[in-house]
Amino acid sequence: MKKTFITVIIPFCLLLLSLTSCDAPQTSQDTRAEQELLFTAPALTWEETLPLGNGRLGMMPDGGIACETITLNEISLWSGSEFDYGNPEAARSLPRIRQLLLAGKNKEAQELMYKTFVPFHPAGSDPYGTLQTLGNLILDYVFPENDQEIEAVQNYRRTLDLSRATASTLFTQGGVEYIRDYFVSRTGDVMIIRIGTGQKEPQQAISFSAILQRPEQAYVYSIENSLVMEGTLDSGIPEQEGMKYYTKMQIATDGGTVTINEDHIQVKEANEAIIYLTATTSYMNDNYQEDAERLLKTARKANYSDLLSDHIKSYQEFYNRVRLSIGSSRAPKRQLPDKTTDQRILSFREDDDPALATLYYNFGRYLLSSSGRG
């Protein structure tokens, strides 16, 4: 039965302690084995998607071939509302609650605790909210007529490069190598997806529709050259407005055509397409819409390669502070970097693969760095 990376890698925090150091020099294969998560099929569950983030924004692409779902997140997007949970009766009732507990009257102690520790909420209100997902970016791809058969896909690779905080999806179909690169810019504070091919000559092979969606409280519309999704979450208190959010997406292409429709953006026969997307909320920010506009405008003015290199440089200032080397494989050449991450985990007891433990350690550092700004 197939197991996800998250599910089966947890026990390796204990196995890491049993491994010994090795002084053998590192090769490029060893480096990949310690820094890259590799899969040869699209994600079937959310846990198998590849996490990317800059501490405020996050996205998790599933690497789908004909239809790709990219889960989006903004750290401050919560339902509910501000509420004063202070209750002066709590301190005064604490001695009595202790007496009841010591007397074995647990039910009476619990009832008194509920009465005096939990603040009163108006009828029909529940201001304590939950963290909300921003939504999904759905990319529906259209391949040239001779590429329609998904079974014809070859050389599929889905990778997360921990040393650069970037992800990629690569596959060949109909003789064309398709490449999708993803990162959440630490310096530009935008989510970026580059969709292209590995061919030297222009192919006009990139066609897709981009859709923003959310299960509830979402209004999607087009304005000028952009697609916007915005809404207001439940506050938990009747007749009180909750948190607002604003998401904006634009697409730049090399060749082809871009059509802005009412609820999606259509790209046809481009050589390359770059998706720029950012989001803001009204949490402690009355100018959240203007901030999103500014971030997107600044990113569009920059060169893609500069955005990527600035992001990597900023990320590596933290990531490169630590380097762990447990040792390279001493087994016959198994091409460990070309084995998928889940295969390496399942065969860890049989394979001489100390780099897997280093990969686990680096993955933990990567997640912490990508979910925080410092």
Side-chain angles (χ1 to χ4, degrees):
M1 183 175 65
K2 185 175 182 181
K3 298 183 179 179
T4 66
F5 177 74
I6 298 298
T7 302
V8 299
I9 201 168
I10 299 302
F12 285 87
C13 59
L14 299 176
L15 291 175
L16 176 61
L17 300 177
S18 67
L19 297 174
T20 58
S21 297
C22 176
D23 296 328
Q26 279 202 324
T27 66
S28 59
Q29 283 192 346
D30 293 328
T31 302
R32 280 182 52 204
E34 295 176 353
Q35 303 288 352
E36 181 183 85
L37 272 64
L38 167 65
F39 301 92
T40 54
L44 298 178
T45 64
W46 180 82
E47 290 82 3
E48 294 178 335
T49 58
L50 300 177
L52 297 161
N54 67 358
R56 191 183 75 83
L57 298 172
M59 68 175 174
M60 300 183 70
D62 68 2
I65 298 170
C67 180
E68 183 170 27
T69 299
I70 302 173
T71 303
L72 309 174
N73 191 46
E74 202 280 349
I75 195 171
S76 65
L77 191 62
W78 279 71
S79 62
S81 57
E82 185 177 358
F83 195 82
D84 183 6
Y85 284 87
N87 190 341
E89 292 297 321
R92 288 194 285 267
S93 65
L94 184 58
R96 178 56 180 163
I97 292 174
R98 288 170 175 165
Q99 290 175 358
L100 291 172
L101 290 172
L102 291 173
K105 299 180 179 180
N106 294 352
K107 183 177 180 180
E108 290 88 338
Q110 180 173 285
E111 290 175 351
L112 181 59
M113 185 271 294
Y114 284 151
K115 182 179 179 181
T116 59
F117 272 58
V118 180
F120 172 75
H121 294 170
S125 69
D126 183 11
Y128 190 85
T130 59
L131 178 64
Q132 299 279 311
T133 179
L134 180 62
N136 292 319
L137 167 60
I138 308 297
L139 300 177
D140 284 320
Y141 296 95
V142 178
F143 297 99
E145 290 184 5
N146 62 333
D147 293 351
Q148 292 292 344
E149 292 295 330
I150 301 302
E151 292 76 9
V153 170
Q154 297 176 329
N155 304 321
Y156 182 98
R157 293 172 63 89
R158 185 165 58 94
T159 62
L160 175 63
D161 188 340
L162 305 181
S163 68
R164 294 160 53 92
T166 61
S168 297
T169 299
L170 300 90
F171 59 89
T172 300
Q173 190 174 31
V176 178
E177 181 186 31
Y178 292 91
I179 303 174
R180 305 172 192 163
D181 297 315
Y182 324 76
F183 68 98
V184 181
S185 173
R186 293 177 66 92
T187 50
D189 208 11
V190 293
M191 295 175 272
I192 298 179
I193 304 163
R194 175 190 171 275
I195 304 169
T197 69
Q199 319 303 116
K200 293 183 179 180
E201 299 297 327
Q203 293 290 312
Q204 297 181 325
I206 307 302
S207 298
F208 64 91
S209 62
I211 305 165
L212 291 172
Q213 61 177 217
R214 196 174 185 279
E216 57 183 7
Q217 284 104 4
Y219 172 43
V220 179
Y221 61 94
S222 61
I223 178 171
E224 297 178 347
N225 63 337
S226 308
L227 193 67
V228 173
M229 179 175 69
E230 62 177 322
T232 303
L233 302 186
D234 290 334
S235 69
I237 299 177
E239 300 181 0
Q240 179 172 312
E241 201 169 50
M243 186 182 294
K244 298 179 180 180
Y245 68 92
Y246 185 80
T247 307
K248 191 169 187 178
M249 176 175 66
Q250 294 179 354
I251 302 178
T253 64
D254 172 20
T257 60
V258 179
T259 305
I260 311 296
N261 298 287
E262 183 177 350
D263 60 353
H264 69 280
I265 299 178
Q266 187 80 38
V267 174
K268 289 185 178 180
E269 298 180 349
N271 301 316
E272 177 185 87
I274 301 176
I275 301 173
Y276 301 85
L277 192 152
T278 195
T280 52
T281 75
S282 61
Y283 177 69
M284 301 182 68
N285 184 4
D286 294 333
N287 301 314
Y288 66 100
Q289 292 187 353
E290 291 83 353
D291 286 349
E293 300 282 354
R294 174 181 53 80
L295 290 170
L296 205 58
K297 184 177 180 179
T298 301
R300 287 295 306 270
K301 287 183 178 179
N303 181 276
Y304 170 83
S305 59
D306 291 338
L307 283 169
L308 177 59
S309 61
D310 289 346
H311 157 73
I312 294 172
K313 181 180 178 181
S314 174
Y315 168 75
Q316 289 182 342
E317 287 178 357
F318 296 94
Y319 187 81
N320 287 351
R321 290 178 177 180
V322 177
R323 180 176 177 274
L324 173 68
S325 179
I326 298 175
S328 59
S329 173
R330 295 179 298 277
K333 288 191 175 181
R334 302 173 186 268
Q335 301 293 320
L336 286 176
D338 292 324
K339 293 182 65 175
T340 64
T341 302
D342 50 345
Q343 289 173 341
R344 290 175 63 191
I345 294 169
L346 294 175
S347 63
F348 183 79
R349 294 184 181 276
E350 290 75 33
D351 277 335
D352 177 19
D353 187 9
L356 179 61
T358 305
L359 177 67
Y360 175 48
Y361 173 77
N362 287 332
F363 185 54
R365 293 197 301 121
Y366 164 82
L367 291 176
L368 288 173
S369 179
S370 298
S371 60
R373 295 296 296 178

